[in-house]
Amino acid sequence: MRLRCAVLDDFQGVATTVADWSPVADRVEVVPFREHPASVAELVATVADFDIVVTLRERIAFPAEVFERLPRLRLLVASGMRNSVIDHAAARAHGVTVCGTASSSTPPVELTWALLLGLARGLVEESTALRSGGPWQSTVGADLAGRRLGLLGLGKIGARVARVGLAFDMDVVAWSSNLTGERAAEVGVRRAGSKEELLRESDFVSVHLALGARTRGLLGAPELALMRPDAYLVNTSRAAIVDQEALLAALSAGRIAGAAVDVFDQEPLPADHPMRTAPRLLATPHLGYVSRDNYRRYYGEAVEDIAAFLAGAPVRVLGD
């Protein structure tokens, strides 16, 4: 009898077509799910009869409670090689192998610039007006050349965002708690003297930090108050780095010119959530990793993970 594999959060319905699942087709029945499980109970009910689960990024948590209620589960595959919402110790205790996949930094870099440019030139407002018979030109775009781009984080993604900023002739500065002047110089940018200095003096602020104890809530009401009223904030990293309520308040009061976010405290975002209707906000439904090549990588390597597990030699094992 074939094993059963659930593919969660296949929102676009492409998981079984962007990759070749034939290497495991004779041994595994693959069942994709397009609807997001809204609770632990719904998640357990959805995958209770499956031996393998493929989950997308860090949207669905797998705490000890879930593993306890899924005695049939033997393999959990998560896209990416780092996942903070899986209890790896609990997985091991319940005999579940957890494997990851590669993930490209290119899609989030490109989306960051799509959002920043969309903010700067009022693309959503102008396109909406043009298509609905609204006014012909109603916004005045913000220039990039000669303006300061402040990056919170200068890792793999932040460095690539920086290089694009330099290509736009922007003055690029960066800050994080462990960033050195040498690292900043390697990328061709300047290290800001402090987080506060970066926020006060940047025209555009973009977040590219990993979520952890030091970065959770890093930008709250006091930090957002340091930004100028003509400055913009972009967050394609992790929602919890920016206090969502503080951001909504700053946007509603016009204390910053605008923000663009691709990540939220709750995903998918409820239909009545205030982030859907906030003024001065350009929001996208966590598209940072969503690209054809990245999906081919995710699901292609998920197939490899499953095949290796069935052969008794798991690869890309997480949590060891």
Side-chain angles (χ1 to χ4, degrees):
M1 185 171 64
R2 291 194 301 170
L3 300 179
R4 304 190 74 216
C5 172
V7 180
L8 301 178
D9 285 349
D10 182 21
F11 298 121
Q12 299 91 350
V14 298
T16 58
T17 59
V18 296
D20 179 12
W21 291 78
S22 62
V24 298
D26 61 335
R27 292 168 290 172
V28 179
E29 176 194 3
V30 180
V31 182
F33 292 90
R34 299 187 68 165
E35 296 299 321
H36 177 77
S39 65
V40 167
E42 188 174 333
L43 170 63
V44 170
T46 299
V47 302
D49 295 328
F50 289 85
D51 311 273
I52 303 167
V53 170
V54 177
T55 183
L56 194 60
R57 301 303 298 141
E58 296 174 311
R59 184 172 289 109
I60 298 177
F62 281 81
E65 174 191 1
V66 170
F67 290 111
E68 290 168 0
R69 297 170 65 180
L70 296 175
R72 182 168 168 173
L73 182 62
R74 287 294 171 263
L75 175 65
L76 177 62
V77 178
S79 55
M81 289 301 293
R82 181 172 57 189
N83 195 301
S84 64
V85 299
I86 296 174
D87 187 330
H88 295 287
R92 287 192 297 271
H94 289 83
V96 179
T97 300
V98 182
C99 297
T101 73
S103 182
S104 172
S105 62
T106 299
V109 171
E110 294 174 350
L111 183 71
T112 294
W113 280 102
L115 292 176
L116 194 152
L117 288 164
L119 272 180
R121 301 305 295 268
L123 295 188
V124 173
E125 299 93 326
E126 296 291 2
S127 177
T128 300
L130 186 146
R131 293 169 64 88
S132 62
W136 182 263
Q137 298 185 4
S138 61
T139 65
V140 178
D143 296 280
L144 300 189
R147 301 309 190 270
R148 178 165 294 174
L149 171 63
L151 301 176
L152 291 171
L154 198 64
K156 183 163 56 174
I157 294 175
R160 296 184 67 176
V161 171
R163 293 185 180 106
V164 177
L166 293 171
F168 276 117
D169 291 329
M170 300 185 79
D171 173 28
V172 183
V173 300
W175 179 90
S176 72
S177 59
N178 58 359
L179 178 64
T180 65
E182 290 76 15
R183 167 60 180 167
E186 286 177 7
V187 180
V189 305
R190 179 173 60 82
R191 181 186 183 278
S194 66
K195 174 184 65 177
E196 291 75 17
E197 174 190 311
L198 182 144
L199 293 171
R200 282 195 300 266
E201 298 183 3
S202 295
D203 300 285
F204 299 87
V205 175
S206 192
V207 180
H208 303 286
L209 294 163
L211 179 61
R214 290 187 298 180
T215 60
R216 186 178 296 275
L218 185 73
L219 298 187
E223 289 77 21
L224 294 174
L226 295 174
M227 295 179 63
R228 299 199 311 265
D230 60 349
Y232 299 87
L233 174 68
V234 179
N235 185 12
T236 58
S237 183
R238 291 291 183 268
I241 295 172
V242 180
D243 184 304
Q244 194 164 264
E245 294 303 319
L247 177 59
L248 284 169
L251 291 169
S252 296
R255 289 194 290 270
I256 60 175
V261 297
D262 185 50
V263 288
F264 306 91
D265 289 344
Q266 183 179 355
E267 297 183 10
L269 205 60
D272 59 349
H273 197 283
M275 294 291 277
R276 288 183 178 267
T277 55
R280 304 178 181 85
L281 179 67
L282 172 56
T284 49
H286 205 154
L287 299 177
Y289 60 89
V290 181
S291 74
R292 291 186 181 90
D293 284 349
N294 222 21
Y295 267 25
R296 291 188 187 104
R297 182 176 292 106
Y298 283 170
Y299 293 116
E301 293 195 5
V303 174
E304 294 175 3
D305 289 348
I306 294 169
F309 174 80
L310 295 176
V315 295
R316 292 185 285 268
V317 176
L318 304 181
D320 283 353

